[in-house]
Amino acid sequence: MENPIPKIMKTPIIAMYHDDEHKNLTVEVELPDVENENITLMMHENSFYLKAFSNNVEYLGSFFMDGPVDPEKAIAKNNKGMLTIKVPYKEGFLCARNIPIE
C-alpha cells in the first residue's frame, strides 16, 4: 500500500485592482494545476473565501476587498491556473481619496 503524499497548504498569490472608471474590481488568483471542479469560491459584499486543490497543494484563504461589491454579478473564470474574478462595486469607488506621494 502506497503512502499518500501529504498536501501542502498555501495561501494563494492574489492581485486586486479596479478599472479606470472605478466601477469594477478584478481579482486574479494564482492556482497552478487546479481544475475548475476543485475550486470553491464564496463571495460577500466585502470579502471572499477561496478553497482549491491540486494533487499536492491545497490553497485556502479569506480576503477583504477595498469596497462593497455586488456578489450576485460576479463572474469567475479559470484559465490554466489563473482564476480571474470580475465584480462590480455597489456604489463605485466613491470613498477612496488620492494621497499625494512626497
Side-chain angles (χ1 to χ4, degrees), residues 19-38:
D19 60 6
D20 291 337
E21 292 82 30
H22 305 274
K23 294 187 182 209
N24 298 288
L25 177 67
T26 298
V27 180
E28 294 179 332
V29 185
E30 289 186 23
L31 300 172
D33 302 319
V34 175
E35 300 295 329
N36 292 357
E37 60 271 11
N38 298 333

Side-chain angles (χ1 to χ4, degrees), residues 51-65:
K51 183 175 182 178
F53 62 90
S54 64
N55 287 336
N56 300 333
V57 180
E58 184 172 359
Y59 299 94
L60 185 63
S62 293
F63 305 92
F64 284 103
M65 294 177 281

Side-chain angles (χ1 to χ4, degrees), residues 5-102:
I5 299 172
K7 289 194 179 209
I8 299 167
M9 292 190 72
K10 289 186 174 185
T11 300
I13 297 171
I14 66 168
M16 284 191 247
Y17 52 91
H18 55 77
D19 60 6
D20 291 337
E21 292 82 30
H22 305 274
K23 294 187 182 209
N24 298 288
L25 177 67
T26 298
V27 180
E28 294 179 332
V29 185
E30 289 186 23
L31 300 172
D33 302 319
V34 175
E35 300 295 329
N36 292 357
E37 60 271 11
N38 298 333
I39 300 172
T40 300
L41 174 63
M42 298 180 67
M43 184 171 284
H44 305 279
E45 72 174 32
N46 62 355
S47 65
F48 68 95
Y49 165 81
L50 177 86
K51 183 175 182 178
F53 62 90
S54 64
N55 287 336
N56 300 333
V57 180
E58 184 172 359
Y59 299 94
L60 185 63
S62 293
F63 305 92
F64 284 103
M65 294 177 281
D66 59 2
V69 297
D70 187 348
E72 297 294 324
K73 295 181 181 175
I75 297 170
K77 294 182 181 180
N78 184 21
N79 184 12
K80 298 180 183 174
M82 178 62 73
L83 178 66
T84 302
I85 306 160
K86 295 188 183 229
V87 61
Y89 287 107
K90 276 195 166 182
E91 300 172 10
F93 202 64
L94 301 175
C95 61
R97 178 172 175 251
N98 189 25
I99 307 298
I101 308 299
E102 297 180 14

